[in-house]
Amino acid sequence: MHIRMSMIFLWILCQCFQYHLCCNIHDLEYDFGLKNLSMTIKKKEAIVTWDCDVPREKLSDVSYAIYLHWEYEMEVKGCGKEIVLILPDDLPTPICVQVAPVLHDKNCPNASEICLNPGRNEMEENIQCITYNISSIKCTWTFAKNLPHETNFSLTLIQDATIIHCQQYAYDMEMRTGYCSFHDLTINYFENVLVMLSKKGSEDHVLKDYFKPADKELFNPPRNLTLTYLEDNVLLSWKPPHTQYDVSESCFIYQMEKNKELTSDVSNPHFINIETKCSVRIRVKGENICGMNENWGQWSEEISCGKFTPCK
Ligand SMILES: *[C@@H]1O[C@H](CO)[C@@H](O)[C@H](O)[C@H]1NC(C)=O
Ligand SMILES: *[C@@H]1O[C@H](CO)[C@@H](O)[C@H](O)[C@H]1NC(C)=O
Ligand SMILES: *[C@@H]1O[C@H](CO)[C@@H](O)[C@H](O)[C@H]1NC(C)=O
Ligand SMILES: *[C@@H]1O[C@H](CO)[C@@H](O)[C@H](O)[C@H]1NC(C)=O
Ligand SMILES: *[C@@H]1O[C@H](CO)[C@@H](O)[C@H](O)[C@H]1NC(C)=O
């Protein structure tokens, strides 16, 4: 009897809460309900993200309360962020996350819920892309052991109105990797692209990578390495690698390897001492302040810079 009474009391309390103490979502001139709630489970983390139709200047007024199996976790302001929840070991499956809009510290009735069974995550959250050879982007991903061999994927690259579907996929089933290249790209290298991998015919198991192509560009070798022999030394000069965009020469940093010895920050042109046996090659990386990748690109061909010693 006691339990029954308290249940009824609780029910009444909930109704009061719902109708009197909650935010009234219709008071606002904009809809701040959740749109596109999605979740990815990755080892011990759930990554949750959602959109909303709130005007940009109002985003700091709206908050969302996040619950893991109805246990309160945190409150976050605004939409479009990736929220990481640490999953305890003893969590029941499927893993369910609820997100409720909050207005003036009051929960709103429209909570959304998403549930995912981690056992169904057949692909590892692991996709990596590089920009190379001036106008190509290559992406590589790994899949987990339980993925059926006949599964087909679709990889799509998106920037604004540009949507490119991968034309040719390659798989290495032993290594459990897949890869695909996009060629002859005419996108903006300094704006984000979204690369999405999904199982064909399903919305499931989507891996995403979001990056600026210039951030991941591995440069072709410097071009046209030229040696000019002077009286006591040799002048080595070159041209910067081709890029898809205009860039100042000062955005490139060069490294030289001469007789297996590395010299960093070599300027163009560069004097080298004459030695009888000499070979040299050059590679290039970008300057961070120019928004370019700071990993070394490909080495140029090795050229011989040995002194010509006439027979006596
Ligand atoms: C809240 O839910 C009601 C009923 O499902 C729906 O009509 C309304 O549009 C929702 N409001 C928001 C802001 O999502
Ligand atoms: C929800 O996702 C779709 C497709 O990605 C997108 O077109 C739409 O703008 C999103 N909704 C909001 C409110 O951002
Ligand atoms: C680089 O691109 C050029 C022209 O687009 C192509 O001819 C060449 O084969 C490519 N090189 C590599 C290593 O992919
Ligand atoms: C995967 O694609 C290949 C080639 O397009 C096709 O022959 C095969 O039937 C597809 N498999 C599935 C499961 O869709
Ligand atoms: C390479 O550099 C040399 C010397 O500056 C020049 O004569 C030649 O035209 C250049 N070649 C190319 C392909 O730019």
Side-chain angles (χ1 to χ4, degrees), residues 250-311:
S250 64
C251 287
F252 290 113
I253 298 170
Y254 297 96
Q255 190 180 49
M256 178 180 78
E257 189 191 72
K258 182 178 160 240
N259 295 344
K260 307 288 169 216
E261 205 174 288
L262 288 174
T263 312
S264 288
D265 276 329
V266 289
S267 54
N268 183 15
H270 181 77
F271 283 106
I272 51 183
N273 290 328
I274 293 184
E275 286 168 50
T276 18
K277 236 179 134 228
C278 172
S279 65
V280 66
R281 56 183 188 163
I282 300 270
R283 63 181 180 176
V284 63
K285 66 177 182 176
E287 178 80 83
N288 178 265
I289 53 163
C290 302
M292 290 153 76
N293 189 356
E294 292 185 291
N295 289 318
W296 291 112
Q298 290 176 314
W299 282 112
S300 67
E301 298 266 310
E302 205 159 32
I303 60 168
S304 168
C305 47
K307 187 184 173 166
F308 174 67
T309 40
C311 301

Side-chain angles (χ1 to χ4, degrees), residues 112-156:
S112 296
E113 182 176 59
I114 188 166
C115 293
L116 205 69
N117 204 328
R120 286 177 55 221
N121 253 17
E122 291 157 332
M123 277 197 276
E124 269 144 47
E125 172 88 6
N126 182 357
I127 179 162
Q128 281 179 342
C129 302
I130 60 159
T131 309
Y132 71 102
N133 197 17
I134 308 163
S135 61
S136 297
I137 288 181
K138 174 180 179 171
C139 297
T140 311
W141 61 91
T142 338
F143 6 75
K145 296 223 158 40
N146 55 346
L147 185 80
H149 273 211
E150 67 278 8
T151 312
N152 280 348
F153 293 92
S154 89
L155 188 75
T156 311

Side-chain angles (χ1 to χ4, degrees), residues 91-105:
L91 211 62
T93 54
I95 289 167
C96 292
V97 168
Q98 296 84 20
V99 184
V102 178
L103 186 66
H104 308 315
D105 293 333

Side-chain angles (χ1 to χ4, degrees), residues 223-226 228 237 239:
R223 295 171 297 139
N224 203 11
L225 248 67
T226 306
T228 312
S237 62
K239 293 216 170 81

